[in-house]
């Protein structure tokens, strides 16, 4: 029987997950398919019933289902529980299980791109204070970053995030700090790694408001935005001597980890797949993706 996997959310036509998972299914010679399933929160119950029955092997969830699914699940991985968001579901030992592979995908990609640049013991500046920032800061704290400084347009949101992270990571050795917005040159200069978690710099959005120092040699700049692949943030950093990490690798690695939950082996993220997705990113968007 063909194994049927999916990505669900609304809207969903933009998702590149079918291309990514389809590549690995073909590479491994699996009798499997992966489809987009347009699903609103009202339709979530029906979708989950199809996973429980075995009709669907497993899937990815995106906006607006990542939080809404949690009350319906039997089990959550510890990561997903701390983040309060799920991007991968499947039946594990007869129980509907939710995981979040975004954070591990973020760090897998960093490790592959810059193996000697672990965040352990480093000072990291995080731009943004939304759900993506929360997830990545959680990962930085678990990996023993010396400090995480948050800069966000809304200072109230920064304060709320710092309080909630401090409460959920009692006993952490990572110091949590706040910086001003727009981002000052001296803030960029003193951090080993700067991560953009906002949507600024994405196609159609203004660039990040940063006052750049003249040089950023050897510092790491990581953008979770992947369209365009080289955001203004990464272009500015690279021009000043920074080491840059783009968001496409995170997308591919979180997908690989999800695939591993469904099929038992985590596929390799190789250059052929990356080139395929890169080509699709620069292709004109089809009016209506199937
Ligand atoms: P996600 O879950 O993807 O992180 P989110 O929770 O909506 O999405 O967070 C979006 C982040 O991008 C926030 O840090 C937001 O800043 P505010 O908290 O001040 O809203 C930031 N962001 C989005 N648009 C922005 C803009 N035009 N200028 C500055 N920051 C922006």
């Amino acid at each position: 029987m063909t194994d049927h996997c999916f990505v669900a959310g609304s809207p969903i036509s933009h998702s590149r997950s079918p291309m990514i998972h389809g590549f690995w299914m073909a590479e491994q010679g699996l009798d499997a398919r992966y489809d987009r399933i347009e699903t609103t929160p009202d339709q979530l119950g029906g979708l989950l019933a199809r996973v429980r029955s075995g009709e669907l092997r497993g899937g990815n969830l995106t906006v607006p289902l990542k939080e809404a699914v949690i009350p319906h699940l039997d089990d959550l991985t510890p990561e997903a529980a701390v983040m309060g968001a799920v991007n991968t579901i499947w039946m594990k030992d007869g129980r509907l299980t939710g995981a979040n592979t975004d954070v591990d995908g973020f760090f897998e990609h960093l490790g592959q791109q810059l193996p000697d640049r672990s965040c352990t013991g480093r000072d990291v500046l995080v731009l943004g204070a939304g759900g993506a920032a929360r997830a990545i800061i959680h990962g930085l704290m678990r990996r023993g970053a010396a400090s995480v400084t948050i800069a966000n347009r809304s200072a109230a949101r920064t304060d709320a995030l710092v309080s909630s992270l401090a409460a959920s990571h009692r006993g952490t050795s990572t110091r949590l700090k706040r910086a001003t917005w727009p981002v000052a040159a001296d803030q960029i200069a003193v951090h080993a790694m700067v991560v953009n978690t906002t949507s600024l710099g994405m196609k159609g959005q203004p660039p990040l408001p940063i006052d750049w120092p003249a040089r950023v040699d050897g510092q790491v700049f990581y953008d979770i935005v992947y369209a365009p692949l080289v955001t203004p943030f990464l272009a500015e950093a690279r021009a000043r001597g920074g080491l840059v990490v783009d968001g496409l690798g995170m997308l591919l690695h979180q997908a690989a980890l999800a695939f591993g939950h469904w099929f038992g082996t985590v596929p390799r993220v190789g250059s052929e797949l990356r080139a395929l997705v890169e080509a699709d990113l620069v292709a004109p968007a089809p009016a209506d993706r199937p």
Side-chain angles (χ1 to χ4, degrees), residues 31-80:
D31 178 10
R33 52 183 284 192
Y34 185 105
D35 296 310
R36 300 181 187 91
I37 304 182
E38 175 82 26
T39 309
T40 62
D42 288 349
Q43 297 166 324
L44 183 58
L47 179 82
L48 298 179
R50 294 172 67 195
V51 180
R52 282 190 187 278
S53 74
E55 179 197 338
L56 299 173
R57 171 101 180 205
N60 292 123
L61 301 177
T62 184
V63 178
L65 307 176
K66 285 181 153 187
E67 291 90 18
V69 73
I70 290 177
H72 300 273
L73 299 173
D74 302 323
D75 286 323
L76 272 181
T77 62
E79 290 272 281

Side-chain angles (χ1 to χ4, degrees), residues 7-256:
V7 57
S10 184
I12 201 64
S13 62
H14 63 285
S15 173
R16 289 182 172 83
S17 295
M19 170 181 278
I20 298 167
H21 289 285
F23 179 92
W24 289 321
M25 286 168 171
E27 187 179 62
Q28 298 191 9
L30 300 178
D31 178 10
R33 52 183 284 192
Y34 185 105
D35 296 310
R36 300 181 187 91
I37 304 182
E38 175 82 26
T39 309
T40 62
D42 288 349
Q43 297 166 324
L44 183 58
L47 179 82
L48 298 179
R50 294 172 67 195
V51 180
R52 282 190 187 278
S53 74
E55 179 197 338
L56 299 173
R57 171 101 180 205
N60 292 123
L61 301 177
T62 184
V63 178
L65 307 176
K66 285 181 153 187
E67 291 90 18
V69 73
I70 290 177
H72 300 273
L73 299 173
D74 302 323
D75 286 323
L76 272 181
T77 62
E79 290 272 281
V82 173
M83 284 177 231
V86 162
N87 75 340
T88 303
I89 58 172
W90 76 107
M91 291 301 285
K92 184 182 180 190
D93 304 326
R95 297 173 67 78
L96 184 58
T97 304
N100 192 314
T101 64
D102 286 333
V103 173
D104 284 344
F106 176 96
F107 287 99
E108 278 287 315
H109 179 48
L110 178 65
Q112 202 174 75
Q113 291 288 106
L114 301 172
D116 58 340
R117 296 289 165 147
S118 141
C119 58
T120 306
R122 306 286 176 121
D123 297 312
V124 182
L125 175 62
V126 172
L127 311 180
R134 182 186 170 77
I136 289 165
I137 297 169
H138 160 71
L140 289 167
M141 295 173 83
R142 272 200 30 198
R143 286 162 180 81
S147 72
V148 176
T149 302
I150 304 172
N152 190 56
R153 175 180 60 179
S154 151
R157 212 161 170 206
T158 308
D159 292 343
L161 181 59
V162 167
S163 307
S164 116
L165 285 164
S168 57
H169 294 74
R170 286 189 199 289
T172 176
S173 60
T174 305
R175 275 171 301 127
L176 292 173
K177 304 193 272 189
R178 301 162 177 81
T180 54
W181 184 273
V183 185
D186 60 345
Q187 280 298 328
I188 295 287
V190 296
H191 287 94
M193 178 157 107
V194 184
V195 185
N196 174 41
T197 73
T198 76
S199 49
L200 295 179
M202 196 183 280
K203 223 174 267 177
Q205 293 262 7
L208 283 158
I210 294 178
D211 179 16
W212 285 91
R215 299 294 305 171
V216 293
D217 296 289
Q219 291 172 247
V220 177
F221 294 81
Y222 195 151
D223 202 334
I224 68 165
V225 172
Y226 59 85
L229 206 50
V230 182
T231 57
F233 171 64
L234 296 186
E236 293 277 2
R238 184 181 278 158
R240 290 168 167 76
L243 302 170
V244 304
V245 184
D246 66 54
L248 179 56
M250 177 184 173
L251 176 75
L252 300 177
H253 282 280
Q254 65 76 27

